[in-house]
Amino acid sequence: MRTFNSKLGLRHIINCTLGTSLSIGAGLSFAEHAPHASGMEEIVITANKRTQNLNDVGLTVAVVSGDTFINQQINSLSDLAQTIPGLSYTNSANNTPIYTLRGVGFYETSIGSYPTVSVYSDEVPLSFPVLAAHTAYDLERVEVLKGPQGTLFGQNATGGAINYIAAKPTDEFSAGVNLSYGRFNEVIGEGFVSGPLSDTLKARLSSRVERADGWQVSNSRPNDANGEVKNYMGRLQLAFEPTDSTSFLLNVNGWKDKSETAAPQYIGLIPQNAILDSGVEAAPFSPLKERAADWTPGLPSADNRMWQASLRGDIDLTDSISLTSLTAYVDYKQTQGNEGDGLPTGDIDLLDNAGKIDSFSQELRLSNGSESALRWVLGANYENSNVDQTVHLDISNTSSNATLGFALGYPISQTIYSSFQEMTNYAFFGNVEYDVADTITLKGGVRYTDAKTNVDSCNMDPTGGANDTGPFFFDILLGGSFGSYETGQCFAVNLLDQPVGSVPIGAPGNYVDTLNEDNVSWRIGLDWNPHSDLLLYTNISKGYKAGSFPTVSAFEFNQYLPVTQESVLAYEGGFKASVFDRALQINGAVFYYDYTDKQLRSKQDGGPFGILDVLQNIPKSTIKGLELELVSRPVSGLIVSTTFAYLDTNIDEFTGINAGGVPADFSGTTVPFTPEYQVGANIDYEFPMTDTFDGFVGGSYTYNSDTVSVIGGDLNPATLADSAVGDASIFEINDYSLVDLRAGIQSVDGRWRVSVWGKNVFNEYYWNNVVAAFDTIGRYTNKPATYGASVTFKY
């Protein structure tokens, strides 16, 4: 019987990650190396839907192994972003994770929005960012593909793709456990059991538990903490091979998140109306320290859960042609509260941010073997997703409440806004590689995608009060023309130039609309191998990301309008070189992106309601940059790696109101969340101590230059009354440097490992986002210095 390894990528090469752990926390395209003469062993990836040596793939792919996640304490999406050059992570105000890769990202807080950087688990799409929150455990590796994707993966993406590859069931019994204890009483336990159940059936059961005390400290209540962690994850895989030509992999996994959501630091006051709430007006700014924050007591919370089932089948139809089927269903439910303003009172808070995602996907593809000079993949995929989100918004301490209550007797205090969406997508794709000579390979791919989204959005008043939000619309704004407000009615007004559904011009109601789009994405390229240890490649690709509708608290229908699909035309050239008998690996790439209709969340003037959220397209922007990475093994046991990434981003054409409420022509400004420079370095040294165990030490360094959280972030709003940062740009994200250290001992046979570690050991104060939330501006900080010890055992 053949082993569970295949040219199609399902049967990944397991021992790729069972060698000596020489990981690169700086984010190089090497994550696990076993000694190979004086150099490093080849790394196997499946980025092209077939098993290949990383150095033979003419794409920019970063790889981080599962052992690296454990050894370097990579416990979150934010930690992963620190290991990949060109990748940035942002925590949104609604706790929706956002990735920006090589300057391509989409800052949108709705759970029902497709990302620019798509995420997969063993090639199965996790279509929306929230679904990938707790995927990183018991991994073989993670592959990050940079640049537009779509000709091979199940979702179009303009920025790139992240593929989490889980460790697979093994031919022989094995088990392992990793326990870690750190600052803030953080306890992390992860383990697996794997092995055969019969001659044709193997299984792997893995799980992870995370718990920690809160690390944020309330400015107004020194004994109150926020940020408690309670996460639970599990995965069961069954690998069934009834014949030598047929195999199936069933993966049932899920997680439960009962942690507390992040609270921002209150750093700026931007009154939207003449009269401020007395509590907001008197509130002091937060100290600019890593742990300082504030929140409404009892508000930051989560009770979210996700489960997924996927079935992969691989059937060899002939000696050279195989059929692959990927079927998946995911179910997600969200119930959480989000602190909006960083104050102990409710200027703007999300009392209940509830959501639900049901998503079904199916992919079928045919491919031939890797041995042929002409290698091809043909396939089709389908997705149907239903995404509902309902947010209970408390605005009882805003300047709108104070001003309208004083002037008109309508102290608006709360709303419930919602969107109910159905997305249906289907696509047909093909990819081909042809060796025109021993050293030259031509590549090409194309994909046709048809996307349809139906939406039903509403904003209503839940209180039933005679002088609250709904009555203000019906009595004052609409002058009583539509009678008295009844609790539960949708009060947003159709101020567009045509009826929407059953809602005529000038009337209130629910917004019902459909967005139909299609596109053709493609890629062409050439690989040249003038030497067995040198690859030169060039690619030109066109990628798309589907449009979407926002989930917003709208007062008029213009806020409900969707953004249309965006596209990127990308030019890239690069090289991969192994020199000095594989003692030194050098990779480099340069790229230029012509970005059309970039999607972003911005603002519009909402009159008495201040600046309110909308989605918009930026007509034109450009991105150019380069990446360089080196991994060397100067002596036995020592791995030294360095990375450098440079980005030059530019908004070529956009006039509007940015997410900070500043109206301007933003041509010539930079793209948000794109530091110009990212530098990383990593050292790992292993050395013998006795006949039975070795010692090891290691350290990682990461530097990110400054960037901004909004377009035109160097401009402060004219309405900024005061701030904690003086005359500085309030939406700036300062540069920062992080240092991680680790040391320990491990058995020679790899059975056990004991380590002590520190992350951000110099206690750098840094943040990843700055958000304007009605009358306030808040900053989302990252964790301070943490340290602890870990024990790993494998059987």
Side-chain angles (χ1 to χ4, degrees), residues 196-241:
L197 301 179
S198 71
D199 290 342
T200 59
L201 183 64
K202 294 178 288 187
R204 188 182 187 101
L205 178 65
S206 54
S207 63
R208 180 179 172 98
V209 177
E210 302 172 345
R211 66 88 47 213
D213 297 339
W215 62 275
Q216 292 185 303
V217 178
S218 168
N219 300 325
S220 61
R221 305 175 306 279
N223 294 323
D224 195 2
N226 181 59
E228 182 181 33
V229 174
K230 291 182 180 179
N231 299 322
Y232 313 91
M233 293 144 264
R235 181 189 297 126
L236 172 64
Q237 298 177 86
L238 297 174
F240 179 51
E241 293 189 69

Side-chain angles (χ1 to χ4, degrees), residues 157-203:
T158 47
I162 300 174
N163 188 23
Y164 291 90
I165 299 172
K168 298 299 184 294
T170 51
D171 292 325
E172 298 179 354
F173 176 80
S174 62
V177 63
N178 178 71
L179 297 175
S180 177
Y181 178 80
R183 189 183 182 191
F184 307 116
N185 287 320
E186 179 186 68
V187 178
I188 298 176
E190 179 177 327
F192 74 91
V193 177
S194 178
L197 301 179
S198 71
D199 290 342
T200 59
L201 183 64
K202 294 178 288 187

Side-chain angles (χ1 to χ4, degrees), residues 728-768:
S729 300
I730 199 165
F731 293 105
E732 184 174 15
I733 299 175
N734 285 358
D735 64 322
Y736 62 86
S737 297
L738 303 178
V739 176
D740 298 346
L741 299 174
R742 53 196 172 270
I745 58 174
Q746 61 186 7
S747 64
V748 173
D749 60 7
R751 289 293 183 91
W752 57 266
R753 178 184 177 99
V754 179
S755 65
V756 293
W757 48 266
K759 300 181 64 176
N760 187 15
V761 295
F762 295 112
N763 206 37
E764 180 87 344
Y765 168 55
Y766 67 114
W767 56 96
N768 61 60

Side-chain angles (χ1 to χ4, degrees), residues 58-59 441 443 523-528 535-540 571-575 590:
L59 297 169
T441 300
K443 307 172 295 184
R523 179 194 299 272
I524 58 174
L526 182 147
D527 294 350
W528 180 37
L535 171 67
L536 304 175
Y537 63 91
T538 182
N539 297 303
I540 305 174
Y571 305 85
E572 179 177 5
F575 69 90
V590 294

Side-chain angles (χ1 to χ4, degrees), residues 147-411:
Q149 305 298 321
T151 59
L152 279 171
F153 280 86
Q155 276 188 301
N156 270 334
T158 47
I162 300 174
N163 188 23
Y164 291 90
I165 299 172
K168 298 299 184 294
T170 51
D171 292 325
E172 298 179 354
F173 176 80
S174 62
V177 63
N178 178 71
L179 297 175
S180 177
Y181 178 80
R183 189 183 182 191
F184 307 116
N185 287 320
E186 179 186 68
V187 178
I188 298 176
E190 179 177 327
F192 74 91
V193 177
S194 178
L197 301 179
S198 71
D199 290 342
T200 59
L201 183 64
K202 294 178 288 187
R204 188 182 187 101
L205 178 65
S206 54
S207 63
R208 180 179 172 98
V209 177
E210 302 172 345
R211 66 88 47 213
D213 297 339
W215 62 275
Q216 292 185 303
V217 178
S218 168
N219 300 325
S220 61
R221 305 175 306 279
N223 294 323
D224 195 2
N226 181 59
E228 182 181 33
V229 174
K230 291 182 180 179
N231 299 322
Y232 313 91
M233 293 144 264
R235 181 189 297 126
L236 172 64
Q237 298 177 86
L238 297 174
F240 179 51
E241 293 189 69
T243 69
D244 286 348
S245 61
T246 304
S247 63
F248 298 93
L249 180 66
L250 175 66
N251 184 330
V252 180
N253 63 86
W255 51 260
K256 180 82 169 178
D257 185 336
K258 296 179 68 67
S259 304
E260 293 174 334
T261 55
Q265 293 182 338
Y266 169 48
I267 63 168
L269 178 65
I270 48 171
Q272 299 300 301
N273 289 281
I275 303 175
L276 275 173
D277 176 85
S278 58
V280 174
E281 189 173 23
F285 294 123
S286 174
L288 301 183
K289 299 179 179 180
E290 64 280 348
R291 298 184 62 184
D294 223 334
W295 55 91
T296 303
L299 181 61
S301 62
D303 189 2
N304 308 330
R305 64 107 177 119
M306 188 275 280
W307 71 269
Q308 180 195 53
S310 67
L311 177 64
R312 173 166 181 157
D314 286 283
I315 302 173
D316 293 340
L317 302 179
T318 70
D319 289 341
S320 61
I321 298 177
S322 299
L323 171 68
T324 298
S325 172
L326 286 169
T327 307
Y329 174 78
V330 63
D331 179 273
Y332 169 79
K333 286 185 174 61
Q334 171 178 294
T335 301
Q336 64 184 28
N338 297 109
E339 172 63 35
D341 48 51
L343 297 173
T345 58
D347 184 69
I348 181 167
D349 287 330
L350 281 62
L351 301 181
D352 185 13
N353 183 359
K356 177 177 173 58
I357 298 174
D358 294 310
S359 183
F360 171 81
S361 63
Q362 173 66 55
E363 178 175 311
L364 290 172
R365 67 174 185 259
L366 291 168
S367 62
N368 71 335
S370 301
E371 298 79 11
S372 172
L374 177 64
R375 300 172 296 280
W376 53 266
V377 178
L378 293 174
N381 49 51
Y382 169 83
E383 179 205 341
N384 179 261
S385 298
N386 291 277
V387 183
D388 304 336
Q389 187 171 10
T390 301
V391 179
H392 187 175
L393 184 67
D394 180 8
I395 52 175
S396 56
N397 294 109
T398 62
S399 60
S400 288
N401 178 292
T403 301
L404 296 177
F406 176 81
L408 300 174
Y410 285 81

